[in-house]
Short mmCIF file of all heavy atoms in Angstrom, two decimals:
data_model
loop_
_atom_site.label_atom_id
_atom_site.label_comp_id
_atom_site.label_asym_id
_atom_site.label_seq_id
_atom_site.Cartn_x
_atom_site.Cartn_y
_atom_site.Cartn_z
N TRP A 317 14.49 -100.49 -60.51
CA TRP A 317 14.40 -101.90 -60.07
C TRP A 317 13.83 -102.75 -61.20
O TRP A 317 14.32 -103.86 -61.45
CB TRP A 317 13.48 -101.93 -58.83
CG TRP A 317 13.29 -103.26 -58.15
CD1 TRP A 317 13.95 -103.73 -57.05
CD2 TRP A 317 12.31 -104.29 -58.48
NE1 TRP A 317 13.46 -104.97 -56.69
CE2 TRP A 317 12.46 -105.33 -57.55
CE3 TRP A 317 11.33 -104.42 -59.46
CZ2 TRP A 317 11.68 -106.48 -57.57
CZ3 TRP A 317 10.56 -105.58 -59.49
CH2 TRP A 317 10.73 -106.59 -58.55
N SER A 318 12.80 -102.25 -61.89
CA SER A 318 12.18 -103.01 -62.97
C SER A 318 13.12 -103.14 -64.17
O SER A 318 13.33 -104.23 -64.70
CB SER A 318 10.89 -102.33 -63.44
OG SER A 318 10.01 -102.18 -62.38
N ARG A 321 15.95 -105.54 -63.80
CA ARG A 321 15.54 -106.96 -63.77
C ARG A 321 15.01 -107.41 -65.12
O ARG A 321 14.46 -108.50 -65.25
CB ARG A 321 14.49 -107.17 -62.68
CG ARG A 321 15.14 -107.29 -61.32
CD ARG A 321 14.19 -107.09 -60.17
NE ARG A 321 14.93 -107.24 -58.92
CZ ARG A 321 15.77 -106.33 -58.43
NH1 ARG A 321 15.98 -105.21 -59.07
NH2 ARG A 321 16.42 -106.56 -57.30
N TYR A 323 12.45 -106.11 -66.66
CA TYR A 323 11.03 -105.78 -66.85
C TYR A 323 10.97 -104.39 -67.50
O TYR A 323 10.47 -103.42 -66.90
CB TYR A 323 10.29 -105.76 -65.51
CG TYR A 323 10.10 -107.11 -64.85
CD1 TYR A 323 10.20 -107.25 -63.47
CD2 TYR A 323 9.78 -108.24 -65.60
CE1 TYR A 323 10.02 -108.48 -62.85
CE2 TYR A 323 9.59 -109.48 -64.98
CZ TYR A 323 9.71 -109.58 -63.62
OH TYR A 323 9.52 -110.79 -63.01
N HIS A 326 8.05 -101.92 -67.61
CA HIS A 326 7.65 -101.15 -66.43
C HIS A 326 8.80 -100.34 -65.85
O HIS A 326 8.90 -100.13 -64.65
CB HIS A 326 7.05 -102.09 -65.37
CG HIS A 326 5.68 -102.54 -65.76
ND1 HIS A 326 5.46 -103.47 -66.75
CD2 HIS A 326 4.46 -102.15 -65.34
CE1 HIS A 326 4.16 -103.64 -66.91
NE2 HIS A 326 3.53 -102.85 -66.07
N GLY A 400 3.12 -99.92 -61.25
CA GLY A 400 4.28 -100.56 -61.89
C GLY A 400 4.44 -102.02 -61.58
O GLY A 400 3.46 -102.76 -61.45
N SER A 401 5.70 -102.46 -61.46
CA SER A 401 6.01 -103.86 -61.17
C SER A 401 5.70 -104.15 -59.72
O SER A 401 6.43 -103.72 -58.81
CB SER A 401 7.51 -104.12 -61.39
OG SER A 401 7.78 -104.28 -62.74
N ILE A 402 4.66 -104.94 -59.47
CA ILE A 402 4.24 -105.13 -58.08
C ILE A 402 5.12 -106.12 -57.32
O ILE A 402 5.02 -106.24 -56.11
CB ILE A 402 2.74 -105.50 -57.99
CG1 ILE A 402 2.46 -106.81 -58.75
CG2 ILE A 402 1.86 -104.36 -58.49
CD1 ILE A 402 1.05 -107.35 -58.51
N GLY A 403 6.02 -106.79 -58.04
CA GLY A 403 6.98 -107.67 -57.36
C GLY A 403 7.83 -106.90 -56.35
O GLY A 403 8.25 -107.44 -55.33
N TYR A 404 8.06 -105.61 -56.62
CA TYR A 404 8.87 -104.78 -55.72
C TYR A 404 8.29 -104.79 -54.30
O TYR A 404 9.02 -104.88 -53.32
CB TYR A 404 8.93 -103.34 -56.24
CG TYR A 404 9.79 -102.44 -55.40
CD1 TYR A 404 11.15 -102.30 -55.66
CD2 TYR A 404 9.25 -101.73 -54.33
CE1 TYR A 404 11.95 -101.48 -54.87
CE2 TYR A 404 10.04 -100.91 -53.54
CZ TYR A 404 11.39 -100.79 -53.83
OH TYR A 404 12.18 -99.98 -53.04
N TYR A 405 6.96 -104.70 -54.21
CA TYR A 405 6.32 -104.54 -52.90
C TYR A 405 6.36 -105.84 -52.09
O TYR A 405 6.57 -105.81 -50.89
CB TYR A 405 4.89 -104.00 -53.07
CG TYR A 405 4.87 -102.82 -54.03
CD1 TYR A 405 4.21 -102.89 -55.27
CD2 TYR A 405 5.57 -101.66 -53.73
CE1 TYR A 405 4.24 -101.84 -56.16
CE2 TYR A 405 5.60 -100.59 -54.64
CZ TYR A 405 4.94 -100.70 -55.85
OH TYR A 405 4.99 -99.65 -56.74
N VAL A 406 6.19 -106.99 -52.79
CA VAL A 406 6.26 -108.25 -52.03
C VAL A 406 7.71 -108.54 -51.63
O VAL A 406 7.95 -109.14 -50.58
CB VAL A 406 5.63 -109.45 -52.79
CG1 VAL A 406 4.13 -109.25 -52.97
CG2 VAL A 406 6.29 -109.72 -54.12
N CYS A 418 0.48 -109.84 -53.47
CA CYS A 418 -0.07 -108.54 -53.90
C CYS A 418 -0.86 -108.76 -55.19
O CYS A 418 -0.41 -109.49 -56.08
CB CYS A 418 1.07 -107.55 -54.16
SG CYS A 418 0.54 -106.01 -54.95
N PRO A 440 -2.25 -108.14 -62.47
CA PRO A 440 -1.09 -108.94 -62.06
C PRO A 440 -1.19 -109.52 -60.65
O PRO A 440 -1.95 -109.02 -59.81
CB PRO A 440 0.06 -107.93 -62.13
CG PRO A 440 -0.58 -106.62 -61.86
CD PRO A 440 -1.99 -106.70 -62.40
N ILE A 441 -0.40 -110.53 -60.44
CA ILE A 441 -0.30 -111.21 -59.13
C ILE A 441 1.19 -111.31 -58.80
O ILE A 441 1.98 -111.73 -59.65
CB ILE A 441 -0.88 -112.64 -59.20
CG1 ILE A 441 -2.35 -112.61 -59.63
CG2 ILE A 441 -0.70 -113.37 -57.88
CD1 ILE A 441 -2.97 -114.00 -59.85
N ALA A 442 1.55 -110.94 -57.58
CA ALA A 442 2.95 -111.13 -57.15
C ALA A 442 2.98 -111.83 -55.81
O ALA A 442 2.12 -111.61 -54.94
CB ALA A 442 3.66 -109.78 -57.06
N PHE A 443 3.99 -112.69 -55.66
CA PHE A 443 4.17 -113.47 -54.42
C PHE A 443 5.64 -113.39 -54.04
O PHE A 443 6.52 -113.58 -54.89
CB PHE A 443 3.76 -114.93 -54.68
CG PHE A 443 4.14 -115.87 -53.57
CD1 PHE A 443 3.40 -115.93 -52.41
CD2 PHE A 443 5.26 -116.69 -53.68
CE1 PHE A 443 3.75 -116.79 -51.37
CE2 PHE A 443 5.63 -117.55 -52.65
CZ PHE A 443 4.86 -117.60 -51.50
N GLY A 444 5.90 -113.12 -52.77
CA GLY A 444 7.30 -113.05 -52.32
C GLY A 444 7.50 -113.86 -51.06
O GLY A 444 6.60 -113.95 -50.21
N VAL A 453 12.40 -115.34 -53.18
CA VAL A 453 11.45 -115.74 -54.22
C VAL A 453 10.56 -114.55 -54.53
O VAL A 453 9.94 -113.97 -53.64
CB VAL A 453 10.58 -116.94 -53.74
CG1 VAL A 453 9.45 -117.20 -54.73
CG2 VAL A 453 11.44 -118.18 -53.56
N VAL A 454 10.55 -114.14 -55.80
CA VAL A 454 9.63 -113.08 -56.23
C VAL A 454 8.97 -113.58 -57.52
O VAL A 454 9.58 -113.58 -58.58
CB VAL A 454 10.33 -111.73 -56.49
CG1 VAL A 454 9.31 -110.70 -56.98
CG2 VAL A 454 11.02 -111.22 -55.24
N PHE A 455 7.75 -114.04 -57.37
CA PHE A 455 6.97 -114.45 -58.52
C PHE A 455 6.06 -113.28 -58.87
O PHE A 455 5.33 -112.80 -58.02
CB PHE A 455 6.16 -115.71 -58.19
CG PHE A 455 5.28 -116.14 -59.34
CD1 PHE A 455 5.86 -116.52 -60.53
CD2 PHE A 455 3.91 -116.15 -59.21
CE1 PHE A 455 5.06 -116.90 -61.61
CE2 PHE A 455 3.11 -116.53 -60.29
CZ PHE A 455 3.70 -116.90 -61.48
N ASP A 456 6.12 -112.82 -60.10
CA ASP A 456 5.50 -111.53 -60.42
C ASP A 456 5.02 -111.58 -61.87
O ASP A 456 5.82 -111.54 -62.79
CB ASP A 456 6.58 -110.45 -60.26
CG ASP A 456 6.10 -109.07 -60.60
OD1 ASP A 456 4.88 -108.85 -60.64
OD2 ASP A 456 6.97 -108.19 -60.80
N MET A 457 3.72 -111.70 -62.07
CA MET A 457 3.25 -111.87 -63.45
C MET A 457 1.92 -111.19 -63.72
O MET A 457 1.06 -111.08 -62.86
CB MET A 457 3.09 -113.36 -63.75
CG MET A 457 2.05 -114.04 -62.89
SD MET A 457 1.29 -115.44 -63.75
CE MET A 457 -0.32 -115.46 -62.99
N ALA A 458 1.76 -110.76 -64.98
CA ALA A 458 0.45 -110.35 -65.48
C ALA A 458 -0.34 -111.62 -65.73
O ALA A 458 0.24 -112.68 -65.98
CB ALA A 458 0.62 -109.57 -66.77
N THR A 459 -1.66 -111.54 -65.68
CA THR A 459 -2.47 -112.75 -65.94
C THR A 459 -2.84 -112.86 -67.42
O THR A 459 -3.73 -113.63 -67.78
CB THR A 459 -3.73 -112.78 -65.03
OG1 THR A 459 -4.33 -111.49 -65.04
CG2 THR A 459 -3.37 -113.15 -63.62
N PRO A 587 11.33 -118.85 -59.24
CA PRO A 587 10.74 -117.56 -59.62
C PRO A 587 11.53 -116.39 -59.03
O PRO A 587 11.79 -116.35 -57.83
CB PRO A 587 9.33 -117.61 -59.01
CG PRO A 587 9.04 -119.07 -58.85
CD PRO A 587 10.36 -119.71 -58.55
N GLY A 588 11.92 -115.50 -59.89
CA GLY A 588 12.71 -114.34 -59.46
C GLY A 588 14.19 -114.51 -59.77
O GLY A 588 14.95 -113.53 -59.77
N ALA A 591 15.30 -112.81 -63.14
CA ALA A 591 15.32 -111.35 -63.00
C ALA A 591 16.57 -110.92 -62.24
O ALA A 591 17.24 -109.93 -62.59
CB ALA A 591 14.07 -110.88 -62.26
#
Side-chain angles (χ1 to χ4, degrees):
W317 183 97
S318 303
R321 279 163 180 75
Y323 291 141
H326 286 74
S401 281
I402 60 170
Y404 182 89
Y405 313 115
V406 295
C418 171
I441 301 174
F443 169 78
V453 171
V454 178
F455 177 62
D456 179 18
M457 62 151 209
T459 46

